[in-house]
Amino acid sequence: MAEWREYYQNEDDEVEEDEEDSGGAYKISGRDSLVFLVDASKEMFIKGEDGEPSNFDMTMQCVRSVYTSKIISSDKDLVALVFYGTEQSKNPRNSFKHVYVYHDLDSPGAKHVQDIDKLQGEKGAQLAEKTMGSGETSLGEALWCCSNLYSDIKLRLSHKRLMIFTCRDDPHVGDSAKDRQARTKAADLKETGVVIDLMHLTKPEGFDVSLFFCDIVSPPEDESELGLQTEPCRKLEDLQKRVRAKELKKRAQSRLTFSLGEGVNLAVGVYVLARTATKPPAVRLYRDTNEPVRTKTRYFHAHNGGILLPNDMKRAQVYGKKQIVMEKDEVDEIKKFDDPGLVLMGFKPMERLKLHHHIRPALFIYPEEEQISGSSCMFTTLLLKCSEKNVFALCRYIPRRNTPPRFVALVPQREELDQSQTQATPPGFRVIFLPFADDIRTVDAHVGPTASDEQVDKMKEIVHKLRFKYRSDAFENPMLQQHYRNLEALALDMLAPEPIEDLTMPKVQMMDDRLGPLVQEFKDLVYPPDYNPEGKPAAKRKPAESGGGGAEKKPKVEMSEEELKNHVEKGTLGKLTVPVLKDACRQFGIRTTGTKKQELIDALTMQFSK
Amino acid sequence: MARAAKSALVLCMDVGFSMSNSEPGQEPSFEQAKKVIQKFVQRQVFAENKDEVGLVLFGTDGTKNGLAEDGQYENITVHRRLMMPDFELLEEIESKLQPGGQQADWLDALVVCMDLLQEETMGKKFERLNIVLLTDLNVQTSADQLDVIIDSLKKARITLQFFLPFPVDGEDRADGGGDGPGPSAAPVRPGKGLSRQQTQGLEMVKNIMTSLEEEDGLEEVYTFSDALQKLSIFKRIDRRPMAWPCHLTIGSSLTIRIVGYKAVTEEKVKKSWAIVEAQSHQRDDVKRETVYCLDDDNETEVQKDDTIQGFRYGSDIVPFSKVDEDQMKYKSDGKCFSVLGFTKQELIRRHQFMGSQVVKVFAARDDEHAAVALSALIRALDSLKMAAIVRYAYDRRSNPQVGAAFPCIKEKYECLLYVQLPFMEDLRQFTFPVLENNKKFKPSESQLSAVDALIDSMMLVEKDEDGESVDVFKVNHIPNPQFQRLFQCLHHRGVNPDDPLPPVEPWLKRDLERPQAVSARCQTPLQDVKTKFPLKVVVKKKEQKTSADVFGSSADEPDAKKVKVDEETEFNLAEIAKGNITSVGSVNPVRDFCTLIRQKTVSFDQACQQLTHRIEQLLGNRSPEYYMKSIACIQAFRDQSVSSGNAELFNSYMQSLKRSVPDRNLQELWDLLIQDALTLISKDEVDGSTFSKQDANQFLAFEQKEEVQAAPVQEDTGDVDDLLDMM
């Protein structure tokens, strides 16, 4: 049975096997879901001073960014948008008053994003007023409605989260019955595994969480965690950051044993905090119906047409003109060195971690108390001490079965908070992959003259003018953005995709303005007047060729007359190659009757035996 | 990739009788030298470069070389002329390379090698000509031709490498150490006097090597054991990294001509495995076919031509042809290395490095103006501790990156180091619970000091005699074990097709282990850590498909009821206030159902109908969490039916449920029902029931028997049996 399944496994499955998240010891089942429960009361629509966007506007922008990021990064996740405190009601059975389900739990698509766009800005506020209006508030009803959304979903949900966006700390204005009902409903939801977060927004008198909402939201995952943010979000950025931090369920790529040696083992989870986002692979669709098709791959015998089962096939490589054959199992076995895990080799001072020893994006590890109790304490001690002594731990790392080892540096990272008390860097070890000897290439350094102090100082002025604070999330990938804009345009029958702003392009005009005359001054210092760095490099590179730049394809061997004569005398011209002979003819201006080797040799012999 | 420069190499091995001598317990030099050659050729075969290798043996019984004349150059055999090494050569070395019974002058052999090289490389372009001599030098040599030989070696630009059974600078090696590759092994045969010929030979070797390569000449003399241990000491003539000429731009008018080279990147196995037919070992016998089929029950196949390309956009799938895609996609305007701005180095964290490579950026070769301009930038950045943030595009077809260019100033050269940085889309902001200020995990003073001592004992950087700190575990000097192991296995299988795969070579294993000195040092501190930190594996519950697993313990059934009761009391408050339970919800259907029955807001039939509707819904999600809920519903259904004396609805529901078990794959649920003894309501309980107590009991038991026959997983039913027996 197993073999058949393996054999019929289609390519997509194999890809999934490599997919890191699904690796490791435990399986993820079901989908993540997220419900935005947004207050639609009049207060939400009040514009801030100096034309600042209203809280409602800010929330919509935030929801939109979650929608689009879900589309790009996790299109299987389910998202819903529900308004409460509306005049109109719209929900599956219309049994709840003043609750407006704008989007039912579903994976977001182009239409959803468009819907949200309609709610933005001045026009959006008008539309919201027209379709939903603001009315009575009953958070209890709203929560109840949301719980129905969850329960109506036929799919298995793995992570359920509900975020309440509001600027009213006392939504029922003293109606204790409503307060009570909301509390009960919140408790019901929490009981079924829904995590409730509050994204509270600013209001003139300040938002008092303790008035009401402290009983609604879920307790923090860890008793010592900061849990409820007491400061409301003032800026869109803060709100987005806060939402983003919660929106994704953090998930270990794998859980491993970290062995310090001699049976001292702790358990850690390995997390991917950065991974190159790529354009998702294309899906094949049936032309007539546009429904996706699956691929099946099978192997059969070329001569008798019989289907080949896995054990009818072996693996082979050709080396040194010989074919070497192995079983599939053997091919896997070759890659096995040890069981998966991290094994401590020792410690090194941080300065031994070379900047240029980089081959892969880093990972992150955090202790797993549920697997080996005491791991967190051991881990914390190690973290504190490594960071205090300014050392990193060198480990051998085998991520999964039948994978060869790599050495990694575990760099301690202590927790850092930003101004709004949100975690900026989590506590744990960063896992930096180190190169083996084979990964380091020999590069012939170009040695040239160095700059004088005057020249360096001028450049310092230039650098100074163009300073900025780098933030890792400041640049969007223009290729991906364009791809999704294109898809969006096609999905919504738009005439043309919305233009993207390519943040990776240098702001040349601005830079020139800031630099002013500095560039010319620097150029005067380093370049002679007739030097044109943008001139055709090909022409200028000629003299550089002898240095072995390696750009020229054909080897050019200049033959001295003496050498040639020597060959002619000994009759060894035949040992030279045709290009060499041709070059020789050209060099000495010898006319040839043709380009065949013998003709070239004849011509040369004629010339030099005179 | 740039065409790799070829090199020509002649392996010249002494097989004379003295090579077969050995100290007791030591491998004869011949065997050691043979291994070196084997390893080397193996490397060449698997590296698959275009290098050509010849093999010359001296001290052979026979003579076969182009110079042999009048008793000159005797006992020297050109075993193989210059060719690309292949498995045939490996097999020949394995089986045909035997010790000879003669002795020959190694200088003569060297001359034969030179002749061979010159003759065979004429007219071909070779980057490097090299002769590798493996000998114990234990033979009389005539030194009169030495100067002529050195001269012609220089003229022909032939380089030499020597492999000897003993170190070249015997005693003084210890204090002169450090210039060899890595910490050198203890001198072989310490204190063993060399023969007169050997001493003389050694002088000549030194003479040749120093006159060929001046100061570094002696670095190319190795011992056999060193060579075997560190095969990487063979001059690695790898692919020359391709030059990437570009312009570094700052704003619109400042341009510097630069060249980039990939300096560090993960080297992958170059070949993938082909699939061959198991019997014939022919690739062509295996045909692979990919078919497209619709996702329907029949898996209807469709032709590839009838399919089009599409992409997912969230829940939508958007048809998007390749042509349209190419036309609409993001287009970068060619290669570039444009500065976007400058930032403090500390703002770029090491863990944010993305991509799989580091590029070294130099000024264009032989352009001194570019060199000065780039140098000014590098030095300015270095002294300000800043880096340039740049847009990097390899060429017109590739996607742009944002990366950082760090200044790098070395004694001999200066360059920028370019590394890719993340895009916003690449990042995942996860928040992790606090560790440091968490009371639960706060380490005690003694724990802290135990780990402190452990770290001290496990430092991989040690001070040598001169007070210089030496790294004893340099990862970047270790060859990738994956390749070593793969080639070892391929070689083994190639030469012995029927043998099982060999074990991992001990030296390779050793390379991956903690250095022994460190292991020894950390024993005590590690024991201390072990006693101070209680680490216990949390025993995972076995995956038993019983409700014990779901409810926590097998005696939990009453608990479920208790929870229900508790909730009722809690609920009553809200109920009084609100009193609007009108239907059985899905959040807490049991409670809703009980309330409805008690309040009699709807009829008993209706309440039951609503409840069964919910149960059916719950059963749609096949997961323990929902089973638990379903079972609680069934339990409530049964309880309420018994107390209202109406068994009909419940019994008929149970019967229909039972019928649907095989179709809906609900065996697991049924197991739970058995475990909780949730069976039909019998006459004993409700008068109206048409079932006797026995019927009721059989209702489940019968099903169970059937399951034993049907279910392939007997363990599960076994568990249930055991549990039932215990109850």
Side-chain angles (χ1 to χ4, degrees), chain A residues 151 156 279 287 294 318 344 348 357 366 371 373 396 451 460 475 481 502 504 512 523 527 531, chain B residues 252-253 255 271 299 306 325 330 350 367 375 383 391 424-425 433 473 512 514 536 586 622:
Chain A
S151 53
R156 187 189 295 182
K279 202 177 72 177
R287 190 190 293 278
R294 292 195 297 126
V318 178
L344 179 65
K348 284 188 194 183
H357 283 175
Y366 189 85
Q371 301 226 308
S373 67
R396 190 176 69 217
K460 277 189 192 169
F475 298 96
Q481 293 295 333
D502 187 349
T504 67
D512 287 351
K523 284 208 276 196
Y527 291 155
Y531 178 81
Chain B
S252 66
S253 54
T255 304
K271 276 198 178 157
E299 300 199 314
D306 289 333
E325 194 199 346
Y330 177 86
R350 176 63 207 258
D367 181 339
S375 165
S383 74
R391 170 190 159 102
M424 190 265 282
E425 293 89 340
F473 198 88
L512 302 175
R514 189 178 290 172
K536 231 162 99 197
S586 63
R622 216 167 293 125

Side-chain angles (χ1 to χ4, degrees), chain A residues 528-552:
Chain A
D530 58 337
Y531 178 81
N532 176 16
E534 282 158 90
K536 278 205 179 116
K540 290 209 167 186
R541 240 186 320 158
K542 274 272 184 263
E545 219 42 69
S546 55
E552 186 98 1

Side-chain angles (χ1 to χ4, degrees), chain A residues 11 107-108 110 147 151 154 156 224 250 260 262 273-275 277 279 283-285 287 294-300 302-303 312-316 318-323 325 330 344-348 352 354 357-360 366 370-373 385 389 394 396 413-414 416 423 430 437-439 441 444 446 451 460 466-468 470 475 477 479 481 486 502 504-505 511-512 523 527 531 533 544 575 577, chain B residues 86-87 91 122-123 239-240 247 252-253 255 257 261 263 265-267 271 274 276 278 281 284-285 287-293 295 299 301 305-308 310 313-316 325 328 330 339 342-343 349-351 354-356 363 365-367 372 375 383 386 391 399 424-426 428 431-433 436 438 443 452 456 458 460 469 471 473 476 478 480 493-494 512 514 523 526 530 536 538 586-587 621-622:
Chain A
E11 285 158 310
S107 36
S147 79
S151 53
K154 296 288 178 288
R156 187 189 295 182
S224 61
K250 62 171 183 284
L260 306 188
E262 302 290 321
L273 301 190
R275 170 205 274 166
K279 202 177 72 177
V283 279
R284 304 252 25 127
L285 307 174
R287 190 190 293 278
R294 292 195 297 126
T295 54
K296 277 198 298 193
T297 303
R298 54 183 169 222
Y299 295 92
F300 58 89
H303 300 308
D312 295 332
M313 293 179 285
K314 288 185 179 176
R315 301 292 184 271
V318 178
Y319 271 107
K321 294 186 238 161
K322 190 181 178 89
Q323 176 171 280
V325 178
E330 289 175 322
L344 179 65
M345 296 282 122
F347 300 87
K348 284 188 194 183
R352 292 274 165 174
K354 295 284 184 288
H357 283 175
H358 163 74
I359 47 167
R360 275 189 214 175
Y366 189 85
E370 296 83 48
Q371 301 226 308
I372 295 177
S373 67
K385 274 294 164 189
K389 299 172 89 84
L394 186 77
R396 190 176 69 217
Q413 172 176 291
R414 295 172 74 168
E416 286 168 29
Q423 192 174 68
R430 295 283 180 177
D438 309 65
D439 305 326
R441 300 191 176 186
D444 292 338
H446 295 194
K460 277 189 192 169
L466 299 177
R467 271 174 320 160
F468 77 112
Y470 171 77
F475 298 96
N477 185 341
M479 181 274 292
Q481 293 295 333
N486 291 344
D502 187 349
T504 67
M505 286 304 266
M511 290 168 83
D512 287 351
K523 284 208 276 196
Y527 291 155
Y531 178 81
K575 287 195 173 262
T577 61
Chain B
D86 51 21
F87 249 87
E91 277 162 14
M122 199 176 294
R239 289 177 303 164
R240 185 180 287 277
H247 290 121
S252 66
S253 54
T255 304
R257 289 176 51 209
Y261 296 98
T265 192
E266 196 170 332
E267 204 61 54
K271 276 198 178 157
V276 296
H281 290 186
D284 296 341
D285 285 351
K287 282 270 178 290
R288 184 189 151 119
E289 181 194 55
T290 302
V291 292
Y292 296 90
C293 55
D295 204 6
E299 300 199 314
E301 282 186 22
D305 291 344
D306 289 333
T307 64
I308 49 173
Y313 185 76
S315 52
D316 310 319
E325 194 199 346
M328 290 171 76
Y330 177 86
V339 172
F342 300 97
T343 194
R349 300 292 193 78
R350 176 63 207 258
H351 63 254
M354 298 294 289
S356 56
R365 200 178 277 280
D366 296 333
D367 181 339
V372 171
S375 165
S383 74
M386 292 184 88
R391 170 190 159 102
N399 297 317
M424 190 265 282
E425 293 89 340
D426 304 339
R428 296 178 196 185
T431 312
F432 289 83
E436 261 174 64
N438 190 322
D452 196 86
D456 284 341
M458 287 183 79
L460 295 168
S469 49
D471 197 329
F473 198 88
N476 56 329
I478 302 175
N480 189 340
R493 178 57 53 89
L512 302 175
R514 189 178 290 172
Q523 282 296 327
L526 203 54
K530 198 172 179 176
K536 231 162 99 197
V538 177
S586 63
V587 175
N621 307 290
R622 216 167 293 125

Side-chain angles (χ1 to χ4, degrees), chain A residues 417-517:
Chain A
L417 304 176
D418 63 10
Q419 300 101 320
S420 60
Q421 294 300 300
T422 316
Q423 192 174 68
T425 57
F429 284 95
R430 295 283 180 177
V431 182
I432 311 258
F433 287 86
L434 300 174
F436 280 121
D438 309 65
D439 305 326
I440 295 176
R441 300 191 176 186
T442 354
V443 174
D444 292 338
H446 295 194
V447 187
T450 53
S452 68
D453 287 347
E454 191 191 0
Q455 291 160 333
V456 173
D457 287 341
K458 190 52 83 184
M459 184 50 97
K460 277 189 192 169
E461 287 181 49
I462 293 180
V463 169
H464 202 75
K465 286 275 187 218
L466 299 177
R467 271 174 320 160
F468 77 112
K469 265 201 175 141
Y470 171 77
R471 280 197 356 260
S472 55
D473 56 358
F475 298 96
E476 288 180 339
N477 185 341
M479 181 274 292
L480 272 185
Q481 293 295 333
Q482 184 68 58
H483 178 72
Y484 283 104
R485 293 291 169 91
N486 291 344
L487 291 180
E488 184 187 54
L490 288 169
L492 298 176
D493 287 329
M494 287 154 67
L495 283 175
E498 263 184 78
I500 60 157
E501 189 192 353
D502 187 349
L503 298 166
T504 67
M505 286 304 266
K507 299 186 172 58
V508 176
Q509 188 59 47
M510 213 172 76
M511 290 168 83
D512 287 351
D513 289 349
R514 276 213 220 162
L515 291 175

